[in-house]
Amino acid sequence: MDETTVADMANGDGSRIKWKFLDRIVSRQGPFADPDNPIGEQALQMLSSVKVLVIGAGGLGCEILKNLALSGFTDIHVIDMDTIDVSNLNRQFLFRQADVGKHKAEVAARFVESRVRGVKITPYCGKIQDKDEDYYMQFAFVVCGLDSIEARRWINATLVGMVDEENPDSLKPLIDGGTEGFKGQSKVILPTMTSCIECQLDLHAPRAAVPLCTLATIPRQPQHCIEWAHIIAWDEERKDITLDNDDPEHITWLYQKALKRAEDFDIPGVTYSMTQGVVKNIIPAIASTNAIIAASCCNEAFKFATGSNPSLAYPPPDANNYMTYSGDDSIYTYTFTHEKKDDCPVCGNLAKTMEIDPSWTLQEFVESFAERPEAQLKKPSIRSEAKTLYMQSIASLEEQTRPNLAKKLSELVSDGEEIAVSDPALQISFKYKLVFKS
Amino acid sequence: MVYGTCGLESLCGPGQHQNQRCSGILGTLLTLSQKQQQQQAENAAGAAGKKKKVTAAQLRVQKDLSELSLGSTMKTDFPNPDDILNFTLTIDPDEGMYKGGSFSFSFAINQNFPHDPPKVKCKEKIYHPNIDLEGNVCLNILREDWKPVLNLNAVIVGLQFLFLEPNASDPLNKEAAEDLKTNREGFKRNVRSAMGGGGVRGETFQRVLK
Ligand SMILES: [Zn+2]
C-alpha cells in the first residue's frame, strides 16, 4: 500500500485524522526494517488485530496501557491483583480518590477505554498464577510492568515452558520493564532464543541489607531500628502471631518498638510511614522514570506489531536485548547483549517428551537413565513439582524415597506430568514430560 | 536454528517463510490472530492434561542438594521428603570449642530462591557470639552478602565455620562476644557449661551434648 491510499483512508474515515502521524510511520518503509515487512494498511491491520497482554497496572502499568492505546493497539488485556491505595495516586494517573480500594486492573481498563475511542481493554483482577498456558497462548506478546521479581520469574518460566518447536505461534515475546527510583531497565526476551529473566537473575540488585549484628548491637540509622523491631523484636515478643504488613496494629507495634530503640541510641527520624516503608520494602517510585521505561517498552511493542523497525533482541541471538537507564548521576543509558546462559535452569534445557510404560517400576526407570544417550547418568535424582520420587545424593532423602523404587510409575506420576532429573555429573537438570504409552 | 531472510524463520515457520510475504515476527502475529479461534477450540479439548511444572526455585534447590557435600559431621532431615524447600541441617563439630555438641538449623527456602537467601535459624538456645537466644544467625552470606550465584553448600560451609571460629567482631549475643574478646579461657568454659545445659550470666541454655 502506498502513501496515497493511507491518505485516502484517512479522508474516507474522519476518525483516522488523529492517527495521522501513526499512519505516516506505518505507511513508509523504516530505514532499518526488513524490506519484506508489510507497510500501510496491512501493518495497521496487524496493529489492531494483535492481542496484547499487559501484566501489572501500577506505576509502569498505567503508563504502558495509556501508551499502547495511544499507539493504535485495540485489543489489550491487563492483569493485576492489587487494589488502589491512596499512596498510588501521585503517579498512577488512571486512578482517582474515589477509586481507592477498587481493583487496579478494572479501573485502569475502564479509564483508558473512556479516553481512547476504539480500544477494548479486558481486565483480570487476580494473580498471574491463576491462569494457565491456554490463557497465555492467546496473546501475541506480553508486556510486563511489575515490581516483583517472583512474578517475573513465574511468567518467564511459563512462557519458556510453552515454546513448542513444532509450533512457531507458541513463542511469545516478553517485553519487560522495571524501575527503582531513578534507575530502570527495559528488555525483550524471545523465550528459548535469547537470555531470559532467570539468566538475568544476578543483574537484579538484591535488596540492600544491613548485617544482623549491626541491627542487634550498633544501629546507626532510623531504618536500622525499624529492621531490628521487624526481624528481632517481633520474634522475641510476638513469636506466635504472624506479622501482617497490612495490619495497622502490627505496624504500630513495630513503630513503637523502633521508636523506643531509636531513643535509646539517640537516633532521630523514626516515623510511622518510614516503618511502613521499611517493613513492606516499598521501593521509591519516580513517575518520570516509569514514563521513560514504559515508553521504551511500548516502542518495542509497536515495532513488534507493525514491523516498522527492528525491535530490541532482533535478530536473535546476538542482538542487543537489554537497555539500562540511570538518571541518578546525570543521565546514563546503555544497551547491550545479555547472553543466554547454558546452565540456566529455565531456558538451558527445555522439557522433552518421553514416552514411558506406566507399569515400569521407578527402579527400572532410574536405571534406564544410565542407558539414555543424552543422559548416561550414574546417580540420577528425580522430582516432580509435587513429589520427590528419588534423591540419591542426600543420605536421609535417599532412605526416605527408597520405598518409591518398587512402586509403579503410574502410582507416582500422572500422564503428562513434568519431572526434573538432576545428577552430580550434570550442570543443569533435564526436564521430561512423561507421556504414558497406552 | 536456521534463520531466513526475515531473521526469524523459526518464528514465522518454514512453511510460511517460503510464502511470498514473509514478515518476520509480524507474520507470526497475523497468523496467530487468524489461528486463535481454532487454537482455543483445540486447547479446550486438551485442557484435561494440565499439570504443574517444576518451579525454578525447586530446580535450583534440587541441583544444590545433589551437589551438597555433607561429610561425616553433618546430616539433614526432611520432615516431608516431597518438600525439599524445608529441612533441618544438623552439625556435629569434630573440632574447636563446640566439639561434642550437636546443633540443628532450620532451612526455609521460598519460591524466590536464589534471588532471596534461605532463611536459617538455630533450633536450640545456645551460647554463641554470632547466634542470639532466638536462634537468629549473623552470617554475612545469609543476608547482606547473599548473591544468586551462591548455593546451599556455601551456606552450610559458613555455618560450619561459625563453630570453628566464633567471631567476636560480629556480635549477635553481645555478652558472649564480650566474653570471647576479653577472656578466651573463660569463654571456653562458658561454652562447655552452656552445651551441658547449664547457665551462663543468669541465662539457662539447652543441653546439646551428644
Ligand atoms: Zn534462561
Side-chain angles (χ1 to χ4, degrees):
Chain A
M1 186 186 220
D2 62 31
E3 258 181 272
T4 342
T5 349
V6 171
D8 289 347
M9 203 165 91
N11 289 338
D13 175 8
S15 70
R16 283 223 67 82
I17 297 286
K18 72 171 174 183
W19 301 110
K20 188 171 76 178
F21 296 104
L22 178 103
D23 289 350
R24 196 174 292 168
I25 289 171
V26 296
S27 62
R28 292 175 188 163
Q29 189 72 60
F32 306 104
D34 192 303
D36 285 340
N37 284 350
I39 52 170
E41 204 177 348
Q42 205 188 339
L44 280 179
Q45 201 221 316
M46 270 197 288
L47 193 56
S48 56
S49 64
V50 145
K51 204 189 266 194
V52 190
L53 175 65
V54 175
I55 301 181
L60 273 169
C62 282
E63 290 278 355
I64 291 170
L65 289 169
K66 175 259 292 173
N67 289 353
L68 291 178
L70 291 176
S71 307
F73 288 91
T74 57
D75 191 358
I76 304 169
H77 290 236
V78 58
I79 302 189
D80 198 306
M81 63 185 287
D82 282 344
T83 52
I84 297 160
D85 187 82
V86 70
S87 65
N88 302 142
L89 300 179
N90 66 342
R91 63 192 183 284
Q92 300 180 17
F93 52 86
L94 302 177
F95 313 139
R96 297 290 175 270
Q97 189 84 44
D99 299 324
V100 169
K102 295 182 189 159
H103 280 284
K104 289 185 177 180
E106 177 70 33
V107 175
R110 296 295 88 88
F111 191 105
V112 174
E113 277 184 344
S114 74
R115 290 292 294 270
V116 185
R117 207 186 318 150
V119 65
K120 189 174 117 241
I121 303 190
T122 314
Y124 173 70
C125 307
K127 294 163 82 175
I128 52 173
Q129 289 88 346
D130 297 344
K131 300 290 189 183
D132 59 18
E133 292 193 354
D134 297 346
Y135 172 81
Y136 291 106
M137 200 58 100
Q138 66 180 306
F139 301 105
F141 55 86
V142 178
V143 188
C144 255
L146 286 162
D147 58 6
S148 147
I149 289 166
E150 196 177 332
R152 272 200 188 87
R153 289 175 71 192
W154 188 89
I155 187 67
N156 175 66
T158 301
L159 296 181
V160 171
M162 274 162 56
V163 175
D164 170 1
E165 282 167 3
E166 307 288 300
N167 172 15
D169 290 338
S170 66
L171 195 141
K172 309 293 177 188
L174 171 64
I175 302 171
D176 179 51
T179 70
E180 188 169 340
F182 279 109
K183 294 181 181 165
Q185 79 288 131
S186 61
K187 56 217 178 196
V188 170
I189 291 157
L190 303 175
T192 73
M193 301 177 88
T194 66
S195 129
C196 79
I197 298 283
E198 202 74 20
C199 294
Q200 299 164 0
L201 208 54
D202 48 1
L203 290 187
H204 285 277
R207 180 182 176 179
V210 177
L212 213 50
C213 46
T214 304
L215 300 182
T217 53
I218 38 156
R220 293 183 303 270
Q221 294 171 11
Q223 289 86 348
H224 296 173
C225 301
I226 298 167
E227 276 281 51
W228 170 85
H230 180 204
I231 298 174
I232 297 175
W234 184 275
D235 266 7
E236 267 172 23
E237 297 175 40
R238 305 186 99 184
K239 193 179 261 166
D240 301 323
I241 307 168
T242 309
L243 180 65
D244 176 0
N245 294 344
D246 292 318
D247 185 335
E249 193 275 325
H250 291 186
I251 299 290
T252 304
W253 190 92
L254 293 175
Y255 164 59
Q256 273 156 1
K257 275 281 154 189
L259 198 61
K260 173 76 180 52
R261 185 163 175 85
E263 277 165 15
D264 293 346
F265 285 89
D266 234 355
I267 300 169
V270 173
T271 61
Y272 182 86
S273 73
M274 183 193 276
T275 308
Q276 219 175 6
V278 170
V279 172
K280 293 172 113 174
N281 192 24
I282 296 175
I283 298 160
I286 294 176
S288 46
T289 311
N290 283 342
I292 291 166
I293 294 301
S296 143
C297 291
C298 294
N299 272 352
E300 295 314 308
F302 179 80
K303 290 186 289 177
F304 259 132
T306 60
S308 51
N309 268 316
S311 71
L312 205 58
Y314 176 92
D318 299 319
N320 288 341
N321 54 7
Y322 199 114
M323 190 275 284
T324 112
Y325 165 84
S326 172
D328 51 2
D329 182 8
S330 185
I331 293 182
Y332 174 79
T333 173
Y334 180 59
T335 306
F336 62 98
T337 311
H338 190 275
E339 284 184 24
K340 193 169 175 302
K341 285 198 174 138
D342 291 337
D343 63 349
C344 171
V346 169
C347 73
N349 258 341
L350 297 186
K352 296 188 184 76
T353 300
M354 185 193 274
E355 274 218 331
I356 52 154
D357 181 344
S359 66
W360 268 12
T361 62
L362 181 63
Q363 175 92 47
E364 288 172 301
F365 184 60
V366 169
E367 282 165 4
S368 76
F369 280 98
E371 286 140 34
R372 293 191 75 85
E374 81 272 28
Q376 297 190 7
L377 305 177
K378 306 243 153 41
K379 284 184 81 178
S381 290
I382 304 176
R383 273 187 52 81
S384 66
E385 194 275 332
K387 259 192 155 57
T388 304
L389 302 186
Y390 188 52
M391 283 288 272
Q392 303 206 37
S393 45
I394 303 274
S396 69
L397 269 181
E398 194 279 331
E399 200 176 310
Q400 280 171 297
T401 53
R402 202 182 303 151
N404 286 345
L405 288 173
K407 291 185 188 160
K408 286 198 173 89
L409 287 177
S410 55
E411 298 170 58
L412 297 165
V413 292
S414 50
D415 193 3
E417 194 161 353
E418 191 179 287
I419 57 156
V421 180
S422 61
D423 186 279
L426 283 180
Q427 226 196 342
I428 38 168
S429 307
F430 283 109
K431 285 174 276 187
Y432 293 101
K433 185 182 171 190
L434 301 183
V435 177
F436 288 2
K437 269 186 234 171
S438 43
Chain B
M1 236 163 237
V2 187
Y3 303 117
T5 48
C6 73
L8 278 176
E9 174 153 300
S10 61
L11 279 182
C12 56
Q16 192 192 341
H17 191 79
Q18 280 142 25
N19 283 348
Q20 65 287 24
R21 287 205 76 80
C22 163
S23 42
I25 293 173
L26 6 145
T28 322
L29 304 185
L30 194 64
T31 331
L32 179 80
S33 63
Q34 289 157 354
K35 280 193 188 167
Q36 252 162 32
Q37 284 182 315
Q38 178 201 340
Q39 193 138 43
Q40 273 161 5
E42 284 169 16
N43 287 340
K50 253 168 262 157
K51 299 285 145 35
K52 276 197 160 182
K53 291 187 173 179
V54 187
T55 65
Q58 287 177 332
L59 279 170
R60 236 317 273 274
V61 172
Q62 182 176 344
K63 178 175 183 261
D64 279 13
L65 289 177
S66 55
E67 287 169 355
L68 222 53
S69 47
L70 292 175
S72 57
T73 60
M74 288 182 285
K75 58 178 190 292
T76 54
D77 175 52
F78 290 77
N80 172 6
D82 290 331
D83 175 10
I84 55 169
L85 303 185
N86 291 286
F87 60 91
T88 301
L89 173 83
T90 307
I91 303 181
D92 300 344
D94 60 357
E95 51 183 320
M97 290 181 267
Y98 290 87
K99 183 177 169 176
S102 184
F103 307 92
S104 53
F105 292 87
S106 61
F107 276 65
I109 300 169
N110 66 24
Q111 286 295 345
N112 215 12
F113 181 82
H115 183 263
D116 291 353
K119 280 203 168 56
V120 177
K121 278 199 152 196
C122 182
K123 293 174 82 170
E124 293 89 20
K125 183 179 172 185
I126 66 169
Y127 173 81
H128 191 294
N130 312 113
I131 299 175
D132 72 13
L133 303 179
E134 299 300 313
N136 293 304
V137 182
C138 189
L139 179 63
N140 62 339
I141 58 167
L142 282 177
R143 210 174 136 77
E144 68 274 15
D145 291 330
W146 173 257
K147 290 177 190 64
V149 292
L150 292 170
N151 58 16
L152 291 178
N153 212 42
V155 172
I156 287 172
V157 168
L159 291 175
Q160 233 181 339
F161 193 70
L162 283 184
F163 291 105
L164 294 180
E165 292 288 340
N167 174 0
S169 57
D170 289 339
L172 213 49
N173 177 338
K174 248 198 285 185
E175 286 77 25
E178 216 34 57
D179 293 340
L180 175 60
K181 216 182 286 179
T182 54
N183 177 2
R184 204 175 163 84
E185 284 312 308
F187 176 77
K188 274 190 196 172
R189 280 196 301 277
N190 288 349
V191 168
R192 300 313 302 177
S193 115
M195 290 206 306
V200 178
R201 296 186 184 229
E203 199 69 63
T204 313
F205 291 90
Q206 208 168 328
R207 186 183 153 87
V208 291
L209 289 174
K210 282 202 285 183

